[in-house]
């Protein structure tokens, strides 16, 4: 038994060093646009009630594990942005006292404060997306969910221009500029409180107006819930559950909402979370259908992107079935690799990052942008194993890769073995002597 422990101890640190070296080898860019940390789902009092003894150890180990995920990737890659992709906590229903306890833990976990509660200075900016475990789905979003999120994590909807060549947030058109937006996906579809839904759709309308004027500017869109896809492209098949006509659960945004975002915002890259397994997909969009789709008795028809983008929210809700037909004839989605999109009016890469939770390997999504004037203006993609992507468009090169710390059980076994073999076994041998 002693020999086995010694062997495992000898393997533990080489394993960790090798894991780090392999991950860094595949992503050796000096400047990283963004790190994505999806769905950490920090637990708390509920686990302690279910598992009084083991739960305390589990929370302690998980905090250290996810803290290492944040800290190691932020320090290694020195990103412009560190984005937590939603589902920061495990439940939106925690009481106020527990909520602020978890916020304090999360600030340390996400490398915002140190063990002395001092703010850690860095060159990166933190951004956060609201997930269903933060403010709830449309059926359950309450005012206090929204209020405490805004007070602690910032705006639900946010947009800015980013000049990665000058490493600054800017508000003018210049070389290297990208438009970036964070979108509250939780209230895009049927929401019980109409105020929250109108707020996010007002924001989307503003974005659509800007995109119509400046569609040549590359656009990066962050949102928690992925866009609609056919079964088989990603692991979950599309499932939506309603309660009283409002969203109680959804794997993907509705087909009508997804079609609006693709046709009217024309994002270059979409990054999201929610699906813990992760996925890479491409959406190909053409501008018009071959035949008009009549919108009931309104006298209007739907045949082009312009027709869709001028519809009011009420019209979008009223004619969802017609919009789905329009989407089926104008949007195709694939997980295929090595694709050139010269024959399509528009195309979008959608990156759904795998969860940061230990059960999924402690993943960080690394997203990078480089300028390359030699690149063809047609957009090209290369997707590999749904874990890595490279693309080029309009003189820019985009790359995405997952960096995984390792399954939390394996990490725990190696570290516990190291402690046992280094401390406990020698102590026992001394007692025997």
């Amino acid at each position: 038994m002693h020999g086995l422990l010694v062997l495992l101890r000898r393997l533990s640190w080489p394993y960790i060093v090798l894991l780090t070296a392999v991950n860094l080898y595949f992503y050796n860019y000096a400047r990283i646009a963004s790190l994505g940390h999806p769905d950490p789902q920090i637990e708390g009092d509920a686990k302690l009630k279910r598992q009084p003894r083991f739960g305390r150890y589990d929370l302690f180990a998980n905090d250290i594990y996810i803290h290492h995920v944040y800290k190691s990737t932020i320090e290694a890659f020195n990103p412009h942005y560190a984005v937590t992709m939603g589902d920061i906590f495990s439940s939106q229903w925690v009481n106020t006292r527990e909520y602020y306890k978890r916020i304090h833990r999360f600030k340390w976990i996400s490398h915002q404060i140190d063990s002395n509660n001092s703010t850690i200075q860095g060159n990166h900016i933190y951004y956060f997306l609201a997930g269903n475990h933060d403010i709830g789905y449309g059926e359950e979003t309450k005012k206090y969910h929204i209020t405490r999120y805004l007070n602690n994590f910032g705006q639900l909807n946010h947009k800015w221009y980013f000049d990665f060549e000058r490493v600054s947030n800017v508000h003018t058109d210049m070389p290297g500029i990208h438009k970036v937006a964070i979108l509250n996906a939780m209230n895009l579809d049927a929401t019980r409180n109409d105020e929250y839904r109108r707020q996010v759709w007002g924001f989307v309308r503003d974005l659509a107006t800007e995109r119509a004027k400046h569609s040549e500017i590359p656009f990066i869109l962050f949102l928690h819930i992925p866009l609609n896809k056919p079964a088989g492209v990603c692991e979950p098949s599309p499932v939506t559950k309603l309660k009283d006509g409002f969203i109680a659960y959804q794997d993907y945004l509705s087909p009508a909402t997804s079609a609006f975002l693709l046709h009217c915002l024309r994002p270059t890259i979409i990054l999201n979370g929610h699906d813990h397994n992760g996925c890479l997909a491409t959406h190909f969009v053409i501008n018009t259908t071959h035949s008009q789709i009549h919108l009931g008795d309104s006298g209007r028809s739907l045949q082009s992107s312009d027709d869709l983008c001028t519809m009011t929210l009420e019209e979008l809700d009223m004619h969802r079935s017609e919009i789905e037909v329009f989407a089926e004839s104008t949007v195709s989605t694939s997980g295929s690799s090595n694709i050139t999109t010269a024959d399509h009016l528009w195309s979008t890469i959608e990156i759904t990052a795998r969860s940061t939770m230990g059960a999924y390997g402690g993943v960080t999504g690394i997203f990078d942008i480089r300028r390359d004037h030699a690149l063809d203006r047609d957009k090209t993609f290369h997707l590999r194993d749904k874990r890595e992507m490279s693309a080029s468009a309009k003189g820019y090169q985009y790359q995405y890769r997952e960096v995984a710390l390792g399954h939390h059980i394996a990490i725990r076994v190696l570290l516990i073995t190291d402690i046992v073999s280094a401390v406990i076994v020698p102590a026992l041998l001394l007692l025997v002597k």
Side-chain angles (χ1 to χ4, degrees), residues 127-129 154-161 179-188 194-212 219-223 260-261 264-265 309 313:
Y127 284 110
F128 308 94
L129 278 63
Q155 301 174 58
L156 291 166
N157 304 292
H158 185 44
K159 59 185 178 180
W160 67 97
Y161 287 103
K179 189 176 184 66
V180 187
I182 290 172
L183 191 61
N184 169 24
M186 305 317 305
N187 302 125
L188 280 169
D194 192 55
E195 175 189 355
Y196 305 140
R197 190 163 182 237
R198 291 194 176 278
Q199 285 176 356
V200 65
W201 273 99
F203 181 81
V204 170
R205 292 284 183 192
D206 290 344
L207 280 178
T209 300
E210 294 170 8
R211 295 297 294 151
F219 178 40
I220 313 298
L221 178 63
F222 288 88
L223 69 169
F260 190 97
L261 296 180
C264 306
L265 300 189
C309 299
L313 182 56

Side-chain angles (χ1 to χ4, degrees), residues 185 188-190 197 201 223 225-231 237-242 247 249-264 270 283-285 293 302 308 311 315-317 319-333 350:
L188 280 169
D189 287 318
R197 190 163 182 237
W201 273 99
L223 69 169
I225 301 179
L227 270 59
N228 185 72
K229 302 174 192 65
S237 297
V239 174
T240 298
K241 297 178 182 179
L242 300 178
I247 298 294
Y249 174 84
Q250 61 185 160
D251 288 315
Y252 302 141
L253 295 173
S254 68
T257 296
S258 300
F260 190 97
L261 296 180
L262 287 171
H263 276 277
C264 306
I270 298 174
H283 302 276
F284 308 106
V285 184
I293 300 171
L302 178 58
L308 176 63
M311 293 176 70
E315 289 173 331
L316 291 173
D317 287 338
H319 300 295
R320 283 190 171 265
S321 59
E322 292 94 335
I323 296 171
E324 289 184 25
V325 174
F326 175 76
E328 288 175 359
S329 62
T330 59
V331 179
S332 61
T333 301
E350 184 179 11

Side-chain angles (χ1 to χ4, degrees), residues 384-404:
R384 184 189 304 167
D385 300 330
K386 296 191 175 183
R387 298 288 179 255
E388 185 176 350
M389 178 279 297
S390 63
S392 61
K394 297 183 178 180
Y396 296 99
Q397 184 177 20
Y398 305 93
Q399 294 204 359
Y400 173 83
R401 177 178 170 79
E402 290 184 355
V403 171

